CSV table of all heavy atoms in Angstrom, one decimal:
chain,number,residue,atom,x,y,z
A,367,HIS,N,-46.6,10.6,27.1
A,367,HIS,CA,-46.0,10.1,28.4
A,367,HIS,C,-44.7,11.0,28.6
A,367,HIS,O,-44.3,11.6,27.7
A,367,HIS,CB,-45.5,8.6,28.3
A,367,HIS,CG,-46.6,7.7,28.1
A,367,HIS,ND1,-47.1,6.8,29.0
A,367,HIS,CD2,-47.3,7.4,27.0
A,367,HIS,CE1,-48.1,6.1,28.5
A,367,HIS,NE2,-48.2,6.4,27.3
A,368,PRO,N,-44.1,10.9,29.8
A,368,PRO,CA,-42.9,11.8,30.1
A,368,PRO,C,-41.6,11.3,29.5
A,368,PRO,O,-41.5,10.1,29.1
A,368,PRO,CB,-42.8,11.8,31.6
A,368,PRO,CG,-43.7,10.7,32.1
A,368,PRO,CD,-44.5,10.2,31.0
A,369,PRO,N,-40.5,12.1,29.5
A,369,PRO,CA,-39.2,11.9,28.7
A,369,PRO,C,-37.9,11.7,29.5
A,369,PRO,O,-37.9,11.7,30.7
A,369,PRO,CB,-39.1,13.2,28.0
A,369,PRO,CG,-39.6,14.2,29.0
A,369,PRO,CD,-40.6,13.5,29.9
A,370,HIS,N,-36.8,11.5,28.7
A,370,HIS,CA,-35.4,11.7,29.1
A,370,HIS,C,-34.4,11.8,27.9
A,370,HIS,O,-34.9,12.0,26.8
A,370,HIS,CB,-35.0,10.6,30.1
A,370,HIS,CG,-34.9,9.2,29.6
A,370,HIS,ND1,-34.1,8.3,30.1
A,370,HIS,CD2,-35.6,8.6,28.6
A,370,HIS,CE1,-34.3,7.1,29.4
A,370,HIS,NE2,-35.2,7.3,28.5
A,371,GLU,N,-33.0,11.8,28.0
A,371,GLU,CA,-32.2,12.0,26.8
A,371,GLU,C,-30.7,11.7,26.9
A,371,GLU,O,-30.2,11.3,28.0
A,371,GLU,CB,-32.3,13.4,26.2
A,371,GLU,CG,-31.9,14.5,27.2
A,371,GLU,CD,-32.1,15.8,26.5
A,371,GLU,OE1,-33.2,16.4,26.7
A,371,GLU,OE2,-31.2,16.3,25.8
A,372,GLY,N,-29.8,12.1,25.8
A,372,GLY,CA,-28.4,11.8,25.6
A,372,GLY,C,-28.1,11.3,24.2
A,372,GLY,O,-28.9,10.6,23.6
A,373,THR,N,-27.0,11.6,23.5
A,373,THR,CA,-26.8,11.3,22.1
A,373,THR,C,-25.4,11.3,21.5
A,373,THR,O,-24.6,12.0,22.0
A,373,THR,CB,-27.6,12.2,21.2
A,373,THR,OG1,-27.1,12.1,19.9
A,373,THR,CG2,-27.4,13.7,21.5
A,374,HIS,N,-25.1,10.6,20.4
A,374,HIS,CA,-24.2,11.0,19.4
A,374,HIS,C,-24.2,10.4,18.1
A,374,HIS,O,-24.5,9.2,18.0
A,374,HIS,CB,-22.8,11.2,19.9
A,374,HIS,CG,-22.2,12.4,19.3
A,374,HIS,ND1,-22.6,13.7,19.6
A,374,HIS,CD2,-21.2,12.6,18.4
A,374,HIS,CE1,-21.9,14.6,18.9
A,374,HIS,NE2,-21.1,14.0,18.2
A,375,THR,N,-23.9,11.1,17.1
A,375,THR,CA,-24.0,10.8,15.7
A,375,THR,C,-23.0,11.7,15.0
A,375,THR,O,-22.4,12.5,15.7
A,375,THR,CB,-25.5,11.1,15.2
A,375,THR,OG1,-26.3,10.3,15.9
A,375,THR,CG2,-25.7,11.0,13.7
A,376,THR,N,-22.7,11.5,13.7
A,376,THR,CA,-21.8,12.5,13.0
A,376,THR,C,-22.3,12.7,11.6
A,376,THR,O,-22.9,11.9,11.0
A,376,THR,CB,-20.3,12.0,13.1
A,376,THR,OG1,-19.5,13.1,12.7
A,376,THR,CG2,-20.1,10.8,12.3
A,377,HIS,N,-22.0,13.9,11.1
A,377,HIS,CA,-22.4,14.3,9.8
A,377,HIS,C,-21.3,14.9,9.0
A,377,HIS,O,-20.4,15.5,9.5
A,377,HIS,CB,-23.6,15.3,9.8
A,377,HIS,CG,-24.0,15.7,8.4
A,377,HIS,ND1,-24.9,15.0,7.7
A,377,HIS,CD2,-23.5,16.6,7.5
A,377,HIS,CE1,-25.1,15.5,6.5
A,377,HIS,NE2,-24.2,16.5,6.3
A,378,TYR,N,-21.3,14.6,7.6
A,378,TYR,CA,-20.3,15.3,6.8
A,378,TYR,C,-20.9,15.6,5.4
A,378,TYR,O,-21.8,14.9,4.9
A,378,TYR,CB,-19.0,14.4,6.6
A,378,TYR,CG,-19.1,13.0,6.3
A,378,TYR,CD1,-19.0,12.4,5.0
A,378,TYR,CD2,-19.4,12.1,7.4
A,378,TYR,CE1,-19.1,11.1,4.8
A,378,TYR,CE2,-19.5,10.7,7.1
A,378,TYR,CZ,-19.3,10.2,5.8
A,378,TYR,OH,-19.4,8.9,5.6
A,379,SER,N,-20.5,16.8,4.9
A,379,SER,CA,-21.0,17.3,3.7
A,379,SER,C,-19.8,17.5,2.7
A,379,SER,O,-18.8,18.1,3.2
A,379,SER,CB,-21.7,18.7,3.9
A,379,SER,OG,-22.8,18.5,4.7
A,380,ILE,N,-20.0,17.1,1.5
A,380,ILE,CA,-18.8,17.2,0.5
A,380,ILE,C,-19.3,17.6,-0.9
A,380,ILE,O,-20.4,17.2,-1.3
A,380,ILE,CB,-18.1,15.8,0.4
A,380,ILE,CG1,-17.5,15.5,1.8
A,380,ILE,CG2,-17.0,15.9,-0.6
A,380,ILE,CD1,-16.8,14.1,1.9
A,381,ILE,N,-18.6,18.5,-1.6
A,381,ILE,CA,-18.8,18.8,-3.0
A,381,ILE,C,-17.5,18.8,-3.7
A,381,ILE,O,-16.5,19.1,-3.2
A,381,ILE,CB,-19.6,20.1,-3.1
A,381,ILE,CG1,-20.2,20.3,-4.5
A,381,ILE,CG2,-18.8,21.3,-2.7
A,381,ILE,CD1,-21.3,21.3,-4.7
A,382,ASP,N,-17.6,18.4,-5.0
A,382,ASP,CA,-16.3,18.4,-5.8
A,382,ASP,C,-16.4,19.5,-6.9
A,382,ASP,O,-17.4,20.2,-7.0
A,382,ASP,CB,-16.0,17.0,-6.3
A,382,ASP,CG,-17.1,16.5,-7.3
A,382,ASP,OD1,-17.8,17.3,-8.0
A,382,ASP,OD2,-17.2,15.3,-7.5
A,383,ASN,N,-15.4,19.5,-7.7
A,383,ASN,CA,-15.3,20.6,-8.7
A,383,ASN,C,-16.2,20.4,-9.9
A,383,ASN,O,-16.4,21.3,-10.7
A,383,ASN,CB,-13.8,20.7,-9.2
A,383,ASN,CG,-13.3,19.5,-9.9
A,383,ASN,OD1,-14.0,18.5,-9.9
A,383,ASN,ND2,-12.2,19.5,-10.5
A,384,GLU,N,-16.9,19.2,-10.0
A,384,GLU,CA,-17.8,19.0,-11.1
A,384,GLU,C,-19.3,19.2,-10.6
A,384,GLU,O,-20.2,19.1,-11.4
A,384,GLU,CB,-17.7,17.6,-11.6
A,384,GLU,CG,-16.3,17.4,-12.3
A,384,GLU,CD,-16.2,16.0,-12.9
A,384,GLU,OE1,-16.5,15.0,-12.2
A,384,GLU,OE2,-15.8,15.9,-14.1
A,385,GLY,N,-19.4,19.5,-9.3
A,385,GLY,CA,-20.8,19.7,-8.8
A,385,GLY,C,-21.4,18.4,-8.3
A,385,GLY,O,-22.6,18.4,-7.9
A,386,ASN,N,-20.7,17.3,-8.2
A,386,ASN,CA,-21.2,16.1,-7.5
A,386,ASN,C,-21.2,16.5,-6.0
A,386,ASN,O,-20.2,17.1,-5.5
A,386,ASN,CB,-20.3,14.9,-7.7
A,386,ASN,CG,-20.2,14.5,-9.1
A,386,ASN,OD1,-21.1,14.1,-9.8
A,386,ASN,ND2,-19.0,14.6,-9.6
A,387,ALA,N,-22.3,16.1,-5.3
A,387,ALA,CA,-22.3,16.5,-3.8
A,387,ALA,C,-22.9,15.3,-3.0
A,387,ALA,O,-23.7,14.5,-3.5
A,387,ALA,CB,-23.2,17.7,-3.7
A,388,VAL,N,-22.4,15.2,-1.8
A,388,VAL,CA,-22.8,14.1,-0.9
A,388,VAL,C,-23.1,14.7,0.5
A,388,VAL,O,-22.4,15.5,1.0
A,388,VAL,CB,-21.7,13.1,-0.8
A,388,VAL,CG1,-22.2,11.9,0.0
A,388,VAL,CG2,-21.3,12.6,-2.2
A,389,SER,N,-24.2,14.2,1.1
A,389,SER,CA,-24.5,14.6,2.5
A,389,SER,C,-24.8,13.3,3.2
A,389,SER,O,-25.6,12.5,2.9
A,389,SER,CB,-25.8,15.4,2.4
A,389,SER,OG,-26.2,15.9,3.7
A,390,VAL,N,-23.9,13.1,4.3
A,390,VAL,CA,-24.0,11.8,5.0
A,390,VAL,C,-24.2,12.0,6.5
A,390,VAL,O,-23.4,12.8,7.1
A,390,VAL,CB,-22.7,11.0,4.7
A,390,VAL,CG1,-22.8,9.6,5.5
A,390,VAL,CG2,-22.4,10.8,3.3
A,391,THR,N,-25.1,11.3,7.1
A,391,THR,CA,-25.2,11.3,8.5
A,391,THR,C,-25.1,9.8,8.9
A,391,THR,O,-25.7,8.9,8.4
A,391,THR,CB,-26.5,11.9,9.1
A,391,THR,OG1,-26.8,13.1,8.4
A,391,THR,CG2,-26.4,12.1,10.6
A,392,THR,N,-24.2,9.5,9.9
A,392,THR,CA,-23.9,8.1,10.3
A,392,THR,C,-23.8,8.1,11.8
A,392,THR,O,-23.5,9.1,12.4
A,392,THR,CB,-22.7,7.6,9.6
A,392,THR,OG1,-22.5,6.2,10.0
A,392,THR,CG2,-21.4,8.4,10.0
A,393,THR,N,-24.1,6.9,12.4
A,393,THR,CA,-24.2,6.9,13.9
A,393,THR,C,-24.1,5.5,14.5
A,393,THR,O,-24.3,4.5,13.8
A,393,THR,CB,-25.6,7.5,14.3
A,393,THR,OG1,-25.6,7.7,15.7
A,393,THR,CG2,-26.7,6.6,13.9
A,394,LEU,N,-23.6,5.6,15.7
A,394,LEU,CA,-23.7,4.4,16.6
A,394,LEU,C,-24.9,4.5,17.5
A,394,LEU,O,-25.1,3.7,18.4
A,394,LEU,CB,-22.4,4.2,17.4
A,394,LEU,CG,-21.2,3.8,16.6
A,394,LEU,CD1,-19.9,4.0,17.5
A,394,LEU,CD2,-21.2,2.3,16.2
A,395,ASN,N,-25.6,5.6,17.4
A,395,ASN,CA,-26.7,6.1,18.3
A,395,ASN,C,-26.1,6.9,19.5
A,395,ASN,O,-25.7,8.1,19.3
A,395,ASN,CB,-27.6,5.0,18.8
A,395,ASN,CG,-28.9,5.6,19.3
A,395,ASN,OD1,-29.2,6.7,19.1
A,395,ASN,ND2,-29.7,4.8,20.0
A,396,SER,N,-25.9,6.3,20.6
A,396,SER,CA,-25.2,7.1,21.7
A,396,SER,C,-23.7,7.1,21.4
A,396,SER,O,-23.2,6.4,20.5
A,396,SER,CB,-25.4,6.4,23.1
A,396,SER,OG,-26.7,6.1,23.3
A,397,TYR,N,-23.0,8.0,22.1
A,397,TYR,CA,-21.5,7.9,22.1
A,397,TYR,C,-21.1,6.5,22.3
A,397,TYR,O,-21.5,5.9,23.3
A,397,TYR,CB,-20.9,8.7,23.2
A,397,TYR,CG,-20.7,10.2,22.9
A,397,TYR,CD1,-21.3,11.2,23.8
A,397,TYR,CD2,-20.0,10.7,21.8
A,397,TYR,CE1,-21.1,12.5,23.6
A,397,TYR,CE2,-19.8,12.0,21.6
A,397,TYR,CZ,-20.4,12.9,22.5
A,397,TYR,OH,-20.2,14.3,22.2
A,398,PHE,N,-20.3,5.9,21.4
A,398,PHE,CA,-19.8,4.6,21.5
A,398,PHE,C,-20.9,3.5,21.4
A,398,PHE,O,-20.6,2.4,21.8
A,398,PHE,CB,-18.9,4.4,22.7
A,398,PHE,CG,-17.8,5.4,22.8
A,398,PHE,CD1,-17.8,6.3,23.9
A,398,PHE,CD2,-16.7,5.4,21.9
A,398,PHE,CE1,-16.8,7.3,24.0
A,398,PHE,CE2,-15.7,6.4,22.1
A,398,PHE,CZ,-15.8,7.3,23.1
A,399,GLY,N,-22.1,3.9,21.0
A,399,GLY,CA,-23.1,2.9,20.8
A,399,GLY,C,-23.4,2.1,22.1
A,399,GLY,O,-23.7,2.6,23.2
A,400,SER,N,-23.4,0.8,21.9
A,400,SER,CA,-23.7,-0.2,23.0
A,400,SER,C,-22.6,-0.3,24.0
A,400,SER,O,-22.7,-1.0,25.0
A,400,SER,CB,-23.9,-1.6,22.4
A,400,SER,OG,-22.7,-2.0,21.7
A,401,MET,N,-21.4,0.4,23.7
A,401,MET,CA,-20.2,0.3,24.5
A,401,MET,C,-19.4,-1.0,24.3
A,401,MET,O,-18.4,-1.2,24.9
A,401,MET,CB,-20.4,0.5,26.0
A,401,MET,CG,-21.2,1.7,26.4
A,401,MET,SD,-20.1,3.2,26.3
A,401,MET,CE,-21.4,4.5,26.3
Side-chain angles (χ1 to χ4, degrees):
H367 296 255
H370 65 153
E371 65 182 88
T373 166
H374 219 64
T375 296
T376 189
H377 179 87
Y378 44 103
S379 299
I380 298 179
I381 190 164
D382 64 24
N383 62 353
E384 296 183 311
N386 301 297
V388 185
S389 180
V390 182
T391 314
T392 181
T393 189
L394 289 165
N395 196 13
S396 309
Y397 274 125
F398 308 111
S400 62
M401 306 284 165

